[in-house]
Amino acid sequence: MFYLCHLNAQNLNGKAKIANNSQSLKRVYTSDISGNLFMNINIWGSLSSLGQLQVPEGVDMVDILSLIGGPSSEDNYKKIKIIRETPDENNNKIILVDMSEFFKNGDRSNLPKILPNDTIIFKKKIGYSIYKRLSQFSTTVTILTVIINLLILF
């Protein structure tokens, strides 16, 4: 049986200050009966799974790709954008991820851990975008041709 309960996010090292704003209220973890922590993240741009997912704490980009069905030939894995809810120590909220080293040699060392409420944006390859637009244009032309032919016949 699987039970869920909500826990307010805690600072385990005791150094962070509690902010009095709506962002700190969104930082909610979920726990199962065994004490495993889960967090919400957002996935945008991937065809296989869009929207909000609940994932185990400590996941990285490889785990996320696996959860949404694996790599797609349509997505550009050299330009993945992660938008953090809160800035890092360098005041950056946006992290750009290039997974090409992982695909070449399996090295995960440069892949960031995913944090609660991260938004991960997968962009399509340029070739796929062009192909999709041409396909839409071709479909529109075909429909217009059929309509014109029907009007000429009647």
Side-chain angles (χ1 to χ4, degrees):
M1 192 176 275
F2 188 74
Y3 295 99
L4 296 177
C5 65
H6 291 285
L7 302 172
N8 287 330
Q10 300 175 17
N11 174 22
L12 299 178
N13 64 14
K15 293 181 183 175
K17 296 178 184 175
I18 297 175
N20 188 14
N21 62 32
S22 62
Q23 287 183 341
S24 65
L25 298 176
K26 286 176 31 179
R27 227 173 247 287
V28 177
Y29 286 91
T30 308
S31 174
D32 64 12
I33 197 165
S34 301
N36 300 312
L37 291 178
F38 297 88
M39 60 189 178
N40 291 327
I41 63 166
N42 303 300
I43 305 285
W44 294 354
S46 174
L47 290 176
S48 56
S49 182
L50 295 173
Q52 194 170 73
L53 295 176
Q54 195 169 59
V55 298
E57 182 182 42
V59 297
D60 64 15
M61 287 303 301
V62 175
D63 301 319
I64 296 301
L65 278 179
S66 297
L67 286 170
I68 63 172
S72 162
S73 61
E74 302 165 359
D75 292 328
N76 184 349
Y77 295 105
K78 292 184 178 187
K79 295 183 179 180
I80 300 169
K81 185 185 287 189
I82 299 175
I83 302 174
R84 295 273 153 105
E85 182 180 42
T86 55
D88 63 12
E89 62 276 357
N90 298 322
N91 207 26
N92 295 324
K93 287 184 94 168
I94 296 176
I95 299 170
L96 297 176
V97 179
D98 180 351
M99 293 193 66
S100 57
E101 283 302 311
F102 172 76
F103 291 131
K104 287 179 191 171
N105 58 27
D107 181 16
R108 289 185 182 210
S109 64
N110 292 326
L111 300 178
K113 292 292 181 195
I114 304 303
L115 300 178
N117 302 313
D118 276 354
T119 299
I120 303 167
I121 302 172
F122 292 93
K123 297 195 180 227
K124 300 295 176 205
K125 292 179 181 174
I126 292 174
Y128 174 76
S129 298
I130 293 170
Y131 169 76
K132 187 165 183 156
R133 297 235 188 247
L134 287 174
S135 176
Q136 291 170 342
F137 178 74
S138 173
T139 301
T140 304
V141 169
T142 302
I143 291 171
L144 287 174
T145 303
V146 168
I147 291 172
I148 291 170
N149 284 331
L150 287 174
L151 290 174
I152 291 172
L153 290 175
F154 295 109

